[in-house]
Amino acid sequence: MVCTILKEEIDCIFMTRQGCTYNGGHCEPVVEACEGCDHLKEVDSDYYCVTSANPAAKWNIGSCNFATHVVTQISNGDVAKVNPLKASKRAASGRS
Ligand code: SF4
């Protein structure tokens, strides 16, 4: 259902006819690590994430998987995107 509280015009799984069902009844603001991401939305001088109700939780165990401003850097300075599924299959077969 479309949010009517902070992220107006954004379809959200926590929004119901009775209001926001997320913890506390509204989303949490973004964290410092989110700076530069394309998913930020400014609401009343605070910034919120359009893909996550709790941005801090997205950074708890590494980089946010929805972040648009994070790139993987390998040691020779090249930038590479890694498919985690293929990487785990490669690791399981012993190839590098
Ligand atoms: S997608 Fe991730 S990095 Fe971007 S604003 Fe949302 S929580 Fe932050």
Side-chain angles (χ1 to χ4, degrees), residues 30 33-34 37 39-40 49 51-52 55 58-59 64 66-67 69:
V30 296
C34 298
C37 183
H39 295 299
L40 299 177
C49 173
T51 64
S52 173
K58 299 295 289 178
W59 290 92
C64 170
F66 294 133
H69 60 307

Side-chain angles (χ1 to χ4, degrees), residues 5 7 10 21 23 36 40 63 67 75 84 94:
I5 299 173
K7 302 177 194 170
I10 305 283
T21 59
N23 188 21
L40 299 177
S63 299
S75 59

Side-chain angles (χ1 to χ4, degrees), residues 50-76:
V50 297
T51 64
S52 173
N54 188 354
K58 299 295 289 178
W59 290 92
N60 273 351
I61 53 169
S63 299
C64 170
N65 57 331
F66 294 133
T68 61
H69 60 307
V70 174
V71 290
T72 303
Q73 194 115 33
I74 52 179
S75 59
N76 64 2

